[in-house]
């Protein structure tokens, strides 16, 4: 396999991988599963499938009936709490905007009929409030204003028959995407009460708004335990009964991940817990955790708090919030390489104050660091380009006798001391770095809504005027011209079509990713042109790292 064929194989393999992942995410819906009725559990704490399923065969949305509501506003959140179930029904992240409409505040949770996504909690056991029970709530607007650092929204549930009182309180803090859910249970009856609280997230299985076919990102469930670490569970695996994750532990968390954002229940301490997933029907799924808080004797009370993080996948924030939560920002198998790349990118941004310029500077640094490898590759390709006329004559001489043609080519390579794969091996070594940088730029929520200059007002959105993709296409054509042309006419045509195809694809890519490729192309062209001149002139390759 010659130089051009290997390059074609590498490029097309990577492109097909991205397109295949995108196609799978868009065109592999799970089969519908009808809702089933189930009776409430009795006796010992039942399994989640027994205790938490809908009590009647009805569309899942029917459990989202609206009651009295509290609207909560902080400096970073706008939340809606409903008395029905005491659910967190809506959640807007004020510093962020929707991808498709920059005038709209980004909405993470909502209880609409088409894309419901909400946080729920309750207590397992007969006669205790679940996420279908009705709480007492003082409706209205609660604002975190002035110098206050914390705001509480209380809800109350009473059962006069048993004497049990449950107080659920949402705790919001200034500048924080972490919401505390404090539950106080007072046993005023004559019988002990099993305290087995559960916390779950319920969400539709569709990709979030603003998702594109060309940029597949993971949307689904995630679990973390010390033993199994970060575990992803796709919605379709739940539907098909193939969900594989650690079910019991005394640590960890459960969450739902989507591009740039994550929500997760984060139980603290080494409390025994059971994780579960459910397919609710109507395209809805739930994932949660059940905790063992022990028994509550008559006349006693107990308070326990479980934090809910619902916000951006900001690297530093996730690292400080809970063990393993930073893994929700998934870089895949290149995570060990991606972390230092993002660290460097973030440090540069702090100095220059602009993510676009930080991308350009980091790209330059990477090109400098990899210069010895790329120079060797460009030198080999320059020598191959110089031999192209002679190789063409060999092809004309031997015609269809491929055995003699390859033998003659091998002798020419040996005489000229050229390794035909010399231009590809350095490229292969650099590919992990470039792919890691690709995933860093794709995952960095820090760039969401961040401008570069002029018409680029959001580096995570496509270029509105298509200037960067067009420049990338032009530079890609120049790169093809600088490289040795394939002797096979079909391969030559493919090499020329590729820049056009990639230009069309990059129209849909975030501007930050396209900016990286444009800068990388320009630097590569400069390097290749300088080395080509050196080889054509018979001199030594330039040692400049520009």
């Amino acid at each position: 396999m010659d130089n051009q064929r290997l390059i074609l194989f590498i490029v097309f393999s990577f492109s097909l991988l991205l397109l295949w992942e995108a196609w799978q995410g868009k065109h592999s819906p799970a089969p519908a599963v009808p809702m089933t009725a189930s009776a409430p559990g009795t006796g010992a704490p039942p399994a989640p499938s027994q205790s938490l399923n809908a009590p009647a065969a009805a569309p899942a949305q029917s459990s989202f009936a609206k009651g009295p509501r509290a609207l909560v506003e902080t400096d970073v959140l706008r939340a809606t709490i409903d008395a029905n179930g005491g659910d967190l029904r809506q959640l807007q992240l004020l510093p962020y905007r929707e991808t498709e409409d920059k005038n709209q505040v980004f909405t993470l949770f909502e209880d609409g009929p088409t894309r419901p996504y909400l946080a729920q909690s309750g207590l397992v056991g007969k006669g205790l409030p679940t996420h279908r029970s009705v709480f007492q709530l003082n409706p209205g607007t609660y604002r975190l204003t002035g110098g206050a650092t914390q705001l509480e929204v209380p809800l109350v549930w009473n059962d006069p028959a048993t004497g049990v009182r449950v107080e659920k309180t949402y705790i919001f803090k200034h500048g924080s995407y972490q919401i505390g859910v404090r539950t106080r249970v007072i046993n005023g009856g004559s019988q002990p009460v099993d305290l087995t609280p559960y916390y779950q997230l319920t969400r539709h299985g569709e990709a979030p708004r603003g998702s594109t076919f060309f940029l597949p990102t993971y949307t689904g469930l995630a679990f973390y335990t010390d033993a199994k670490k970060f575990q992803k569970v796709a919605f379709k695996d739940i539907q098909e009964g193939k969900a594989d994750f650690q079910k019991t532990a005394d640590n960890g968390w459960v969450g739902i991940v989507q591009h740039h954002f994550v929500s997760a229940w984060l139980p603290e301490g080494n409390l025994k817990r059971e994780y579960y997933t459910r397919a609710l029907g109507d395209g809805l799924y739930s994932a949660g955790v059940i905790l063992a808080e022990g028994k509550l004797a008559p006349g006693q009370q107990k308070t326990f708090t479980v934090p809910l993080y619902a916000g951006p996948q900001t690297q530093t924030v996730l690292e400080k919030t809970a063990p393993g939560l930073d893994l929700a920002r998934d870089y895949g198998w290149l995570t060990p390489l991606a972390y230092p790349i993002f660290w460097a990118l973030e440090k540069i941004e702090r100095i220059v104050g602009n993510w676009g310029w930080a991308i350009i500077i980091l790209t330059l640094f990477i090109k400098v660091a990899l210069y010895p490898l790329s120079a060797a590759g460009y030198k080999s390709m320059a020598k191959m380009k110089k031999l192209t006329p002679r190789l063409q004559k060999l092809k004309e001489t031997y015609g269809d006798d491929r055995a003699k043609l390859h033998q003659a080519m091998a002798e020419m390579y040996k005489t000229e001391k050229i390794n035909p794969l010399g231009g590809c091996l350095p490229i292969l070594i650099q590919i992990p770095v470039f792919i890691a940088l690709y995933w860093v730029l794709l995952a960095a929520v820090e760039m969401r809504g961040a401008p570069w200059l002029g018409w680029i007002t959001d580096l995570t959105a496509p270029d509105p005027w298509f200037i960067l993709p067009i420049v990338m296409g032009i530079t890609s054509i120049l790169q093809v011209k600088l490289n040795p042309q394939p002797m096979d006419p079909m391969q030559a045509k493919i090499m020329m079509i590729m820049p056009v195809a990639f230009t069309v694809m990059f129209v849909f890519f975030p501007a930050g990713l396209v900016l990286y490729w444009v800068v990388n192309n320009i630097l590569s062209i400069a390097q290749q042109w300088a080395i080509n001149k050196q080889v054509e002139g018979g001199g030594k390759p330039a040692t400049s790292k520009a």
Side-chain angles (χ1 to χ4, degrees):
M1 183 180 290
D2 61 20
N3 210 27
Q4 290 77 23
R5 287 178 179 173
L6 184 54
I7 292 175
L8 283 171
F9 176 77
I10 294 167
V11 172
F12 276 114
S13 295
F14 182 58
S15 303
L16 288 173
L17 176 62
L18 293 177
L19 291 174
W20 172 252
E21 289 180 351
W23 189 91
Q24 285 285 85
K26 294 286 184 181
H27 300 281
S28 298
V33 175
M35 295 289 292
T36 57
S38 59
T42 58
S49 59
Q50 295 174 322
S51 66
L52 303 180
N53 278 345
Q61 285 92 329
S62 65
S63 63
F64 302 150
K66 294 183 180 180
R69 295 191 162 196
L71 176 65
V72 183
E73 293 184 355
T74 75
D75 56 323
V76 296
L77 295 175
R78 183 183 295 126
T80 299
I81 301 168
D82 198 294
N84 284 4
D87 299 339
L88 183 58
R89 295 289 186 90
Q90 295 180 356
L91 188 67
Q92 292 181 305
L93 311 184
L94 301 182
Y96 297 92
R97 294 292 181 269
E98 293 284 356
T99 302
E100 298 171 334
D101 186 353
K102 300 301 181 184
N103 295 320
Q104 296 294 322
V105 174
F106 177 76
T107 299
L108 185 62
F109 291 172
E110 56 184 300
D111 62 349
T114 57
R115 307 174 70 88
Y117 182 8
L118 58 159
Q120 303 170 310
S121 60
L123 291 162
V124 173
K126 186 176 181 180
L128 294 175
T130 70
H131 59 282
R132 291 180 175 84
S133 303
V134 178
F135 285 74
Q136 298 174 24
L137 167 68
N138 289 327
T141 301
Y142 297 71
R143 289 189 176 91
L144 186 62
T145 58
T149 59
Q150 183 170 299
L151 171 67
E152 297 188 358
V153 180
L155 300 93
V156 177
W157 178 91
N158 282 295
D159 185 355
T162 62
V164 176
R165 175 184 174 92
V166 177
E167 300 172 354
K168 181 189 293 187
T169 304
Y170 283 87
I171 305 168
F172 298 83
K173 295 183 179 181
H174 178 80
S176 177
Y177 296 99
Q178 185 169 307
I179 304 167
V181 179
R182 184 177 68 219
T183 304
R184 181 187 182 205
V185 183
I186 303 169
N187 187 359
S190 59
Q191 299 296 323
V193 175
D194 283 318
L195 292 184
T196 315
Y198 67 90
Y199 303 84
Q200 68 179 22
L201 297 162
T202 299
R203 188 189 192 279
H204 62 91
E206 298 296 322
R209 285 185 294 268
S211 300
T212 66
F213 176 82
F214 290 101
L215 288 176
T217 56
Y218 177 71
T219 300
L221 309 180
F223 296 86
Y224 179 87
T225 61
D226 288 345
K228 296 291 187 178
K229 302 306 179 184
F230 187 68
Q231 308 151 75
K232 293 193 291 187
V233 178
F235 292 124
K236 66 177 182 179
D237 290 336
I238 302 172
Q239 194 81 315
E240 297 170 359
K242 299 178 181 178
D244 183 19
F245 59 96
Q246 186 176 356
K247 305 297 193 300
T248 59
D250 63 357
N251 58 79
W253 51 263
V254 56
I256 295 180
V257 178
Q258 67 184 67
H259 190 210
H260 285 164
F261 301 97
V262 59
S263 61
W265 287 107
L266 309 168
E268 299 173 327
N270 296 114
L271 200 64
K272 287 183 63 177
R273 61 200 68 180
E274 178 183 356
Y275 295 105
Y276 63 91
T277 61
R278 296 181 299 144
L280 303 178
D282 253 6
L284 295 182
Y285 302 87
S286 286
V289 57
I290 297 177
L291 304 178
E293 290 285 354
K295 283 187 177 293
L296 187 63
Q300 292 186 338
Q301 60 178 276
K302 186 172 184 178
T303 301
F304 40 88
T305 302
V306 173
L308 168 70
Y309 180 86
Q313 296 176 13
T314 307
Q315 191 76 53
T316 54
V317 174
L318 297 183
E319 290 172 353
K320 296 176 182 177
T321 300
L325 189 58
D326 57 308
L327 297 177
R329 182 164 164 156
D330 189 12
Y331 297 130
W333 62 279
L334 287 172
T335 295
L337 190 56
Y339 265 88
I341 288 177
F342 176 76
W343 177 87
L345 184 65
E346 189 176 38
K347 295 299 182 185
I348 296 171
E349 192 277 334
R350 289 182 183 179
I351 296 173
V352 301
N354 183 288
W355 285 102
W357 293 115
I359 291 172
I360 293 172
I361 294 171
L362 179 64
T363 307
L364 179 61
F365 284 167
I366 290 176
K367 292 296 287 186
V368 170
L370 297 177
Y371 179 80
L373 287 174
S374 58
Y378 292 144
K379 179 181 177 182
S380 179
M381 285 191 287
K383 289 181 177 179
M384 286 293 296
K385 184 176 182 179
K386 194 174 181 179
L387 286 180
T388 298
R390 295 169 61 186
L391 291 171
Q392 188 64 38
K393 287 183 179 180
L394 287 180
K395 184 179 180 182
E396 294 171 358
T397 300
Y398 293 103
D400 295 330
D401 192 340
R402 302 188 67 84
K404 290 185 177 180
L405 174 62
H406 288 163
Q407 182 180 356
M409 290 170 62
E411 291 176 357
M412 181 181 293
Y413 293 150
K414 183 177 180 181
T415 303
E416 298 294 335
K417 298 180 180 179
I418 295 176
N419 180 1
L421 297 180
C424 293
L425 295 179
I427 293 175
L428 285 172
I429 296 172
Q430 297 175 61
I431 281 178
V433 177
F434 294 140
I435 295 178
L437 182 57
Y438 166 89
W439 286 112
V440 165
L441 296 177
L442 187 62
V445 68
E446 290 84 352
M447 296 183 199
R448 190 181 180 101
W452 175 39
L453 55 79
W455 76 105
I456 302 296
T457 58
D458 184 354
L459 287 165
T460 63
D463 183 337
W465 293 356
F466 313 127
I467 294 175
L468 287 177
I470 292 173
V471 174
M472 195 219 69
I474 294 172
T475 55
S476 296
I477 292 173
L478 291 176
Q479 276 190 298
V480 172
K481 293 291 186 181
L482 286 171
N483 291 332
Q485 297 302 305
M487 291 187 295
D488 185 341
M490 181 58 69
Q491 289 186 25
K493 289 180 180 179
I494 293 175
M495 292 293 287
M496 291 305 299
I497 291 173
M498 279 172 50
V500 178
F502 277 103
T503 299
V504 174
M505 286 179 58
F506 272 61
V507 165
F508 303 97
F509 278 32
L513 283 172
V514 186
L515 177 61
Y516 155 71
W517 282 105
V518 167
V519 175
N520 184 71
N521 280 359
I522 292 173
L523 294 175
S524 298
I525 289 170
Q527 291 179 346
Q528 181 71 77
W529 181 83
I531 291 175
N532 283 357
K533 289 297 182 183
Q534 290 289 333
V535 172
E536 290 170 4
K540 294 182 179 180
T543 58
S544 170
K545 296 182 180 180

Coordinates of all heavy atoms in Angstrom, one line a residue, residues 312-359:
P312 N -23.7 22.9 34.0 CA -22.7 22.7 32.9 C -21.6 21.7 33.3 O -21.3 21.6 34.5 CB -22.2 24.1 32.7 CG -22.3 24.8 34.0 CD -23.6 24.2 34.6
Q313 N -21.0 21.1 32.3 CA -19.9 20.2 32.6 C -18.6 21.0 32.7 O -17.6 20.8 31.9 CB -19.8 19.1 31.5 CG -20.9 18.2 31.4 CD -20.9 17.2 30.3 OE1 -19.8 17.1 29.6 NE2 -21.9 16.6 29.9
T314 N -18.5 22.0 33.6 CA -17.3 22.8 33.8 C -16.3 21.9 34.5 O -16.6 21.4 35.6 CB -17.7 24.0 34.6 OG1 -18.7 24.7 33.9 CG2 -16.4 24.9 34.6
Q315 N -15.1 21.8 33.9 CA -14.1 20.8 34.4 C -13.8 21.0 35.9 O -13.9 20.1 36.7 CB -12.9 20.9 33.6 CG -11.8 19.8 33.9 CD -12.2 18.5 33.2 OE1 -12.5 18.5 32.0 NE2 -12.3 17.5 34.0
T316 N -13.5 22.2 36.3 CA -13.1 22.5 37.7 C -14.2 22.3 38.6 O -14.0 21.8 39.8 CB -12.5 23.9 37.8 OG1 -13.4 24.9 37.3 CG2 -11.2 24.1 37.0
V317 N -15.4 22.7 38.2 CA -16.6 22.6 39.1 C -16.9 21.1 39.3 O -17.2 20.7 40.5 CB -17.8 23.3 38.5 CG1 -19.0 23.0 39.3 CG2 -17.5 24.8 38.4
L318 N -16.9 20.3 38.3 CA -17.2 18.9 38.4 C -16.2 18.2 39.3 O -16.6 17.3 40.1 CB -17.2 18.2 37.1 CG -18.3 18.7 36.1 CD1 -18.2 17.8 34.8 CD2 -19.7 18.6 36.6
E319 N -15.0 18.5 39.2 CA -13.9 17.9 40.0 C -14.1 18.2 41.5 O -13.8 17.3 42.3 CB -12.5 18.4 39.6 CG -12.1 17.9 38.2 CD -10.8 18.5 37.7 OE1 -10.4 19.5 38.4 OE2 -10.3 18.1 36.7
K320 N -14.6 19.3 41.8 CA -14.8 19.7 43.2 C -16.1 19.2 43.8 O -16.3 19.2 45.0 CB -14.7 21.2 43.4 CG -13.4 21.8 43.0 CD -13.4 23.4 43.1 CE -12.1 24.0 42.7 NZ -12.2 25.5 42.7
T321 N -17.1 18.9 42.9 CA -18.4 18.6 43.4 C -18.6 17.2 44.0 O -19.2 17.0 45.0 CB -19.5 18.8 42.2 OG1 -19.4 20.1 41.8 CG2 -20.9 18.5 42.7
A322 N -18.1 16.2 43.3 CA -18.2 14.8 43.7 C -17.1 13.9 43.0 O -16.8 14.2 41.9 CB -19.6 14.2 43.4
P323 N -16.7 12.9 43.7 CA -15.7 12.0 43.1 C -16.2 11.4 41.8 O -17.4 10.9 41.8 CB -15.5 10.9 44.1 CG -15.8 11.5 45.4 CD -16.9 12.5 45.1
G324 N -15.5 11.5 40.7 CA -15.8 10.9 39.5 C -16.8 11.7 38.6 O -17.1 11.3 37.5
L325 N -17.4 12.8 39.2 CA -18.3 13.5 38.4 C -17.7 14.2 37.2 O -18.3 14.4 36.1 CB -19.0 14.6 39.3 CG -20.2 15.3 38.6 CD1 -21.3 14.3 38.2 CD2 -20.8 16.4 39.6
D326 N -16.4 14.5 37.3 CA -15.7 15.1 36.1 C -15.6 14.1 34.9 O -15.4 14.6 33.8 CB -14.3 15.5 36.5 CG -13.4 14.3 37.1 OD1 -13.9 13.6 38.0 OD2 -12.3 14.1 36.6
L327 N -15.8 12.8 35.2 CA -15.8 11.9 34.1 C -17.1 12.0 33.2 O -17.1 11.4 32.1 CB -15.7 10.4 34.6 CG -14.4 10.1 35.4 CD1 -14.4 8.7 35.9 CD2 -13.2 10.3 34.5
A328 N -18.1 12.7 33.7 CA -19.3 12.9 32.9 C -18.9 13.7 31.6 O -19.6 13.6 30.6 CB -20.3 13.7 33.7
R329 N -17.8 14.5 31.7 CA -17.3 15.1 30.5 C -16.4 14.1 29.8 O -15.2 14.1 30.1 CB -16.5 16.4 31.0 CG -15.9 17.2 29.9 CD -15.5 18.5 30.5 NE -14.6 19.3 29.7 CZ -14.5 20.6 29.7 NH1 -15.3 21.3 30.5 NH2 -13.7 21.3 28.9
D330 N -17.0 13.4 29.0 CA -16.3 12.1 28.5 C -15.5 12.4 27.2 O -16.0 12.8 26.2 CB -17.4 11.1 28.1 CG -16.9 9.8 27.8 OD1 -15.7 9.5 28.0 OD2 -17.7 8.9 27.3
Y331 N -14.2 12.1 27.4 CA -13.3 12.3 26.2 C -13.0 10.9 25.6 O -12.1 10.8 24.7 CB -11.9 12.9 26.7 CG -12.0 14.3 27.2 CD1 -11.4 14.6 28.4 CD2 -12.7 15.3 26.5 CE1 -11.5 15.9 28.9 CE2 -12.8 16.6 27.0 CZ -12.2 16.9 28.2 OH -12.2 18.2 28.7
G332 N -13.7 9.8 26.1 CA -13.5 8.5 25.5 C -12.1 7.9 25.9 O -11.5 8.2 26.9
W333 N -11.6 7.1 25.0 CA -10.4 6.4 25.3 C -9.1 7.3 25.3 O -8.1 6.8 25.7 CB -10.2 5.2 24.3 CG -10.0 5.6 22.9 CD1 -11.0 6.0 22.0 CD2 -8.8 5.8 22.1 NE1 -10.5 6.3 20.8 CE2 -9.2 6.2 20.8 CE3 -7.5 5.6 22.4 CZ2 -8.2 6.5 19.8 CZ3 -6.5 5.9 21.4 CH2 -6.9 6.3 20.2
L334 N -9.3 8.5 24.8 CA -8.1 9.4 24.8 C -8.2 10.4 26.0 O -7.5 11.4 26.0 CB -8.1 10.2 23.5 CG -7.7 9.4 22.3 CD1 -7.9 10.2 21.0 CD2 -6.2 9.0 22.4
T335 N -8.9 10.0 27.1 CA -9.0 10.9 28.2 C -7.7 11.3 28.8 O -7.4 12.4 29.1 CB -9.9 10.2 29.3 OG1 -11.2 10.1 28.8 CG2 -9.9 11.1 30.6
P336 N -6.7 10.3 29.0 CA -5.4 10.7 29.6 C -4.7 11.7 28.7 O -3.9 12.5 29.3 CB -4.6 9.3 29.6 CG -5.7 8.3 29.6 CD -6.8 8.8 28.8
L337 N -4.9 11.8 27.4 CA -4.2 12.7 26.6 C -5.1 14.0 26.5 O -4.5 15.1 26.4 CB -4.1 12.2 25.2 CG -3.2 12.9 24.2 CD1 -1.8 13.1 24.7 CD2 -3.2 12.2 22.9
A338 N -6.4 13.9 26.6 CA -7.2 15.1 26.5 C -7.1 16.0 27.7 O -7.2 17.2 27.6 CB -8.7 14.6 26.3
Y339 N -7.0 15.4 28.9 CA -6.9 16.3 30.1 C -5.8 17.3 30.1 O -6.0 18.5 30.3 CB -6.8 15.4 31.4 CG -8.1 15.1 32.0 CD1 -8.9 14.0 31.6 CD2 -8.6 15.9 33.0 CE1 -10.1 13.7 32.2 CE2 -9.8 15.6 33.6 CZ -10.6 14.5 33.2 OH -11.8 14.2 33.8
P340 N -4.5 16.9 29.8 CA -3.5 17.9 29.7 C -3.7 18.9 28.6 O -3.3 20.1 28.7 CB -2.2 17.1 29.5 CG -2.7 15.7 29.0 CD -4.0 15.5 29.6
I341 N -4.3 18.5 27.5 CA -4.6 19.4 26.4 C -5.5 20.5 26.8 O -5.3 21.7 26.6 CB -5.1 18.6 25.1 CG1 -4.0 17.8 24.5 CG2 -5.7 19.6 24.1 CD1 -4.4 17.0 23.3
F342 N -6.6 20.1 27.5 CA -7.6 21.1 28.0 C -6.9 22.0 29.1 O -7.2 23.2 29.1 CB -8.8 20.4 28.6 CG -9.8 21.4 29.1 CD1 -10.6 22.2 28.3 CD2 -9.9 21.6 30.5 CE1 -11.4 23.2 28.8 CE2 -10.7 22.6 31.0 CZ -11.5 23.4 30.2
W343 N -6.1 21.4 29.9 CA -5.4 22.1 31.0 C -4.6 23.3 30.3 O -4.7 24.4 30.7 CB -4.5 21.2 31.8 CG -3.7 21.9 32.8 CD1 -4.1 22.2 34.1 CD2 -2.4 22.4 32.7 NE1 -3.1 22.9 34.8 CE2 -2.0 23.0 33.9 CE3 -1.5 22.4 31.7 CZ2 -0.8 23.6 34.1 CZ3 -0.2 23.0 31.9 CH2 0.1 23.6 33.1
A344 N -3.9 22.9 29.3 CA -3.1 23.9 28.6 C -3.9 25.0 27.9 O -3.6 26.2 27.9 CB -2.2 23.2 27.5
L345 N -5.0 24.5 27.3 CA -5.9 25.4 26.6 C -6.5 26.4 27.6 O -6.6 27.6 27.3 CB -7.0 24.6 25.9 CG -8.0 25.4 25.0 CD1 -7.3 26.1 23.9 CD2 -9.1 24.5 24.5
E346 N -6.9 25.9 28.7 CA -7.5 26.8 29.8 C -6.5 27.8 30.3 O -6.8 29.0 30.5 CB -8.1 25.9 30.9 CG -8.9 26.7 31.9 CD -9.5 25.8 33.0 OE1 -8.8 24.8 33.4 OE2 -10.7 26.1 33.4
K347 N -5.3 27.4 30.5 CA -4.2 28.3 31.0 C -4.0 29.4 30.0 O -3.8 30.6 30.3 CB -2.9 27.5 31.2 CG -3.0 26.5 32.4 CD -3.4 27.1 33.7 CE -3.4 26.0 34.8 NZ -3.9 26.6 36.1
I348 N -3.9 29.0 28.7 CA -3.7 30.0 27.7 C -4.9 31.0 27.6 O -4.7 32.3 27.5 CB -3.5 29.4 26.3 CG1 -2.3 28.5 26.3 CG2 -3.4 30.4 25.2 CD1 -2.2 27.6 25.0
E349 N -6.1 30.5 27.7 CA -7.3 31.4 27.7 C -7.2 32.4 28.9 O -7.6 33.6 28.7 CB -8.6 30.6 27.8 CG -9.8 31.4 27.5 CD -10.4 32.1 28.7 OE1 -10.1 31.6 29.8 OE2 -11.1 33.1 28.5
R350 N -6.8 32.0 30.0 CA -6.7 32.9 31.2 C -5.7 34.0 30.9 O -5.9 35.1 31.4 CB -6.3 32.1 32.4 CG -7.3 31.2 33.0 CD -6.8 30.5 34.2 NE -7.8 29.5 34.7 CZ -7.7 28.7 35.8 NH1 -6.5 28.8 36.4 NH2 -8.6 27.9 36.1
I351 N -4.7 33.8 30.1 CA -3.7 34.8 29.8 C -4.2 35.8 28.7 O -4.1 37.0 28.8 CB -2.4 34.2 29.3 CG1 -1.8 33.3 30.5 CG2 -1.4 35.2 28.9 CD1 -0.6 32.5 30.1
V352 N -4.8 35.2 27.6 CA -5.2 36.0 26.5 C -6.6 36.5 26.6 O -7.0 37.5 25.9 CB -5.0 35.3 25.1 CG1 -3.5 34.9 25.0 CG2 -5.9 34.0 25.1
G353 N -7.4 35.8 27.4 CA -8.8 36.3 27.6 C -9.7 36.0 26.5 O -10.8 36.6 26.4
N354 N -9.4 35.1 25.6 CA -10.3 34.8 24.4 C -10.0 33.3 24.0 O -8.9 32.9 23.7 CB -10.0 35.7 23.3 CG -10.9 35.5 22.1 OD1 -10.8 34.5 21.4 ND2 -11.8 36.5 21.9
W355 N -11.1 32.5 24.0 CA -11.0 31.1 23.6 C -10.5 30.9 22.2 O -9.8 30.0 21.9 CB -12.3 30.4 23.9 CG -12.6 30.1 25.4 CD1 -13.4 30.8 26.2 CD2 -11.9 29.1 26.2 NE1 -13.4 30.3 27.4 CE2 -12.5 29.3 27.5 CE3 -11.0 28.1 26.0 CZ2 -12.1 28.4 28.5 CZ3 -10.6 27.3 27.0 CH2 -11.1 27.5 28.3
G356 N -10.9 31.8 21.3 CA -10.5 31.6 19.9 C -9.0 31.8 19.7 O -8.4 31.0 19.1
W357 N -8.5 32.8 20.3 CA -7.0 33.0 20.3 C -6.3 31.9 21.0 O -5.2 31.5 20.7 CB -6.6 34.4 20.8 CG -7.1 35.5 20.0 CD1 -8.0 36.5 20.3 CD2 -6.7 35.8 18.6 NE1 -8.2 37.3 19.3 CE2 -7.4 36.9 18.2 CE3 -5.8 35.2 17.7 CZ2 -7.3 37.5 16.9 CZ3 -5.7 35.7 16.4 CH2 -6.4 36.8 16.1
A358 N -6.9 31.4 22.1 CA -6.3 30.3 22.8 C -6.2 29.1 22.0 O -5.2 28.3 22.0 CB -7.1 30.0 24.1
I359 N -7.2 28.8 21.2 CA -7.2 27.7 20.2 C -6.1 27.8 19.2 O -5.3 26.9 18.9 CB -8.5 27.5 19.5 CG1 -9.6 27.1 20.5 CG2 -8.4 26.5 18.3 CD1 -11.0 27.1 19.9

